[in-house]
Structure formats: C-alpha cells, structure tokens
Amino acid sequence: MYNAKAYSAASDKSPLASTTIARRDPTPNDVQIEILFCGICHSDLHQVRNEWSGAMPTVYPCIPGHEIVGRVTKTGSAVTKFKAGDLAAVGCMVDSDGTCPECLAGFEQFCPNMTLTYNFPDKHTGGVTYGGYSDSVVVDQRFVLKVPANLDLAGAAPLLCAGITTYSPMHHWGVTKGKKVGVVGLGGLGHMGVKFAHALGAHVVLFTTSPNKKEDALRLGADEVVISRNADEMAKHAGSFDFILDAVSADHDINAYLNLLRRDGNICLVGAPEKPLSVAAFNLLFGRRCLSGSPIGGIAETQEMLDFCGKHNITADVEVIPIQKVNDAYDRLLKADVKYRFVIDMASLKGEA
C-alpha cells in the first residue's frame, strides 16, 4: 500500500476536505495513474450527500470522481497495453467478473459483479473504492482507456461519464446522417448529446425551457432550437423524430416528447428524474413508439467514443477549478450555474499538506 492525497467527505453533512488515503500497490495486471484532471458529475453530489441511500448508501469517508484523465506512472509485470508516460483515462467502472454473459458480450456496465470507481466494495483492499478526487489511482488494465493525444485533457475528462452516457444510446439506436434527432435539456449531458448528434451527421434539434440557451445550442451544433413551453413550436415537429435523447433529471412531461416521434421512433432517458414519469399508453401504441433508458457504455464502446472524439476533436465545455473550490462548485451545480461541466485541476492538490 502507499499513501495518496485526496479530498473526501466524512459525512452527508460534511464539506469535502483534504485527507490522505491508502492505495494498493500495482498488482501484475494493474496500471498506476497520476491523475491530472477529474470531472465533477452530478452523481458525485448525490453520493456525497447520501441522496441515493435507498439504492446505493454512501460509505464514509467518500472520495468521489469517475471522470479521470491522467498519465501512467507505473505498470504491473503483466500489463501490455500501457507504459509509463502514456496518457490514460478511467471512467465509472474499475472491475467486473469478466466471465458473465454481459462481460463476454462487451457490456461490462451490466455485469452483476461490476465494481464502480468509488463507494463500492473493493475486492483488493476489503474496504470501498476511492475515486478521482485524488492525486493517483490504481486500476486493472482492462478498465484503463487510451486518450487521443490531440484532445484537451481537461475537456476530455467528462467524456468518461457524460460523454459515454450520451454516445452509447446514439450508437445503439443508430443515429447517423439523415436522421432527425432531438436532445432535451442543455446541461452536462445535453451539451455532449448535441455535439455527438451533430458529428454523427444528424439533423439536431435542441429542446429547452430557457430561450437564453438558443445561441449556445447553435454554437454547439444544433440546427434548430425549440422552446419546449411553446405549444406551437412543439406542434410543428409532431411525428417527425427518429430519436430523442432525454437528458433532463427534473420532473417533466414525457408525453410531449413521445408525440414528436415518428413511427418506430425512440426516446431514450439518460437523465434520472426523482419521481416516476407518467406515460400515456396510447402515445406508445400509436406509431409503435419506444421509451427506453441507457446508462454508460462498456469498455470497448467507451474507447470507440474516445477515438471518435479524437477524430472529430470533441471535448466537453468545461470550467476548470482548483480542488480547494470543490464545495463552491457543488453549490453552483445545484443552481445549474456551470457551462457545462466542472473539472478539477489536480495540480492544485500538490499544495495540500
């Protein structure tokens, strides 16, 4: 074991604060990474404040962070994919059983024995996993990804969660040139959805409740912007969409968007509203429409997404902060006061005692 600097929450009411944690020394299959940047995901805030206690109760101290980009410092004797000095990334998973049907199909995100990057039982140490709000991390090489050298590293960090969460359903549901694609909500997920749909060649329509987001949506790649509270604007698009990515986590009327789908169209949830959504059956029956959901992608698909981003020079729009400002960032996140993802510069952790 070795000591690493980190920021952790001691309880659901505690601010994140400087601490020292124990990391395992690399085993033969492990890669040790110096973390350069770590994105702040909304799920970090939920986890730190134990707001998912019913499904995933938080174990304290909690070190969040699953949008990790860094540089390899050490590799185990059996590692073949990486060497010291390589750029590397880690997303929401750090292990799976590798033998179940889901893993064998390349869907590690559905493995019943998956290990999440933080706040999950750690089979190596016997405690829980610690995430990317730290100066280093040790991960099995199967779950370490290559970062295209041309990408801005701070902007690349959110690709490991926000990026793959929006790319995966578009890939699965066949978003390509000639398709009409809607994106609901222009936040951390939605802004990546717009970028990906545009790069995939689709006609992209951004739905928002905020007229002041129109200019930004067009800059990001939207062809049209619809103010979703305007019934006339919504009606103009009835029955015309092949695919809609719903990135809204607040309560909203899903039926308004189901009516916009053409025959066999699909709306996919990547946001997670706290309350159940009310669905009118006839909005699905007429048109054989589909309502689906999607989490992150598997490791191969995540690498495919990163390579796609390298080819098209896609990164997240980020606000880079020192780790000492992380509690302020959480407060601002609750107010949606960020365009569109906070990313921590881990060089700022070096000054901590």
Side-chain angles (χ1 to χ4, degrees):
M1 304 291 282
Y2 72 95
N3 287 332
K5 293 180 178 181
Y7 258 54
S8 73
S11 74
D12 61 347
K13 301 291 192 295
S14 303
L16 289 150
S18 180
T19 190
T20 300
I21 57 172
R23 296 282 197 191
R24 72 176 186 268
D25 290 316
T27 68
N29 287 303
D30 282 338
V31 175
Q32 184 173 325
I33 300 167
E34 176 193 5
I35 300 174
L36 301 176
F37 295 96
C38 183
I40 296 177
C41 179
H42 213 287
S43 59
D44 296 348
L45 190 154
H46 290 305
Q47 201 79 70
V48 161
R49 298 185 178 179
N50 201 23
E51 292 172 357
W52 291 341
S53 57
M56 296 171 61
T58 304
V59 178
Y60 296 97
C62 175
I63 291 94
H66 57 206
E67 298 181 337
I68 299 167
V69 169
R71 197 171 295 280
V72 176
T73 54
K74 193 182 294 186
T75 59
S77 58
V79 172
T80 57
K81 298 178 181 177
F82 295 90
K83 64 183 185 303
D86 286 350
L87 292 175
V90 178
C92 302
M93 304 176 285
V94 292
D95 210 347
S96 70
D97 61 34
T99 58
C100 72
E102 302 291 9
C103 286
L104 295 176
F107 300 130
E108 297 91 348
Q109 73 272 33
F110 300 121
C111 174
N113 300 304
M114 170 185 61
T115 300
L116 295 178
T117 304
Y118 69 89
N119 195 58
F120 223 72
D122 189 329
K123 69 181 185 183
H124 295 275
T125 67
V128 295
T129 51
Y130 293 143
Y133 294 16
S134 176
D135 61 5
S136 68
V137 69
V138 177
V139 179
D140 186 298
Q141 68 170 334
R142 294 180 301 131
F143 288 82
V144 181
L145 298 137
K146 296 179 182 293
V147 182
N150 62 304
L151 295 181
D152 171 75
L153 295 185
L159 299 178
L160 279 302
C161 179
I164 187 58
T165 297
T166 50
Y167 179 89
S168 182
M170 291 192 185
H171 178 218
H172 177 74
W173 291 99
V175 171
T176 55
K177 188 175 182 180
K179 301 285 187 179
K180 185 176 180 181
V181 172
V183 176
V184 186
L186 192 66
L189 292 175
H191 95 286
M192 290 305 309
V194 170
K195 290 188 179 193
F196 282 135
H198 175 74
L200 288 164
H203 180 87
V204 187
V205 181
L206 185 279
F207 294 94
T208 180
T209 58
S210 306
N212 60 0
K213 289 188 176 180
K214 180 173 183 178
E215 187 177 331
D216 231 15
L218 296 173
R219 174 184 64 82
L220 293 165
D223 297 289
E224 300 179 60
V225 177
V226 171
I227 307 305
S228 55
R229 290 181 174 138
N230 187 317
D232 290 337
E233 285 190 43
M234 294 287 282
K236 289 176 185 175
H237 292 274
S240 66
F241 282 88
D242 297 286
F243 178 82
I244 297 176
L245 186 82
D246 187 339
V248 175
S249 292
D251 188 31
H252 61 292
D253 181 13
I254 196 71
N255 295 289
Y257 297 101
L258 286 171
N259 284 326
L260 302 183
L261 295 174
R262 58 179 298 177
R263 174 181 51 80
D264 292 327
N266 175 63
I267 182 166
C268 184
L269 304 180
V270 292
E274 183 180 350
K275 298 177 182 177
L277 297 174
S278 178
V279 177
F282 284 108
N283 287 334
L284 294 176
L285 297 175
F286 292 128
R288 200 164 54 191
R289 295 160 173 154
C290 180
L291 173 62
S292 64
S294 180
I296 56 171
I299 293 301
E301 188 177 49
T302 304
Q303 187 62 63
E304 176 189 305
M305 179 272 305
L306 287 170
D307 294 342
F308 181 86
C309 289
K311 180 179 177 181
H312 295 273
N313 200 27
I314 294 172
T315 54
D317 283 25
V318 301
E319 181 178 334
V320 180
I321 62 166
I323 199 162
Q324 293 79 11
K325 297 284 188 183
V326 67
N327 293 301
D328 294 336
Y330 273 32
D331 290 339
R332 287 178 56 194
L333 197 58
L334 285 172
K335 303 169 188 171
D337 179 24
V338 59
K339 288 187 176 180
Y340 282 94
R341 205 73 160 183
F342 286 115
V343 172
I344 304 167
D345 182 350
M346 284 303 162
S348 60
L349 193 55
K350 289 182 167 65
E352 296 285 340

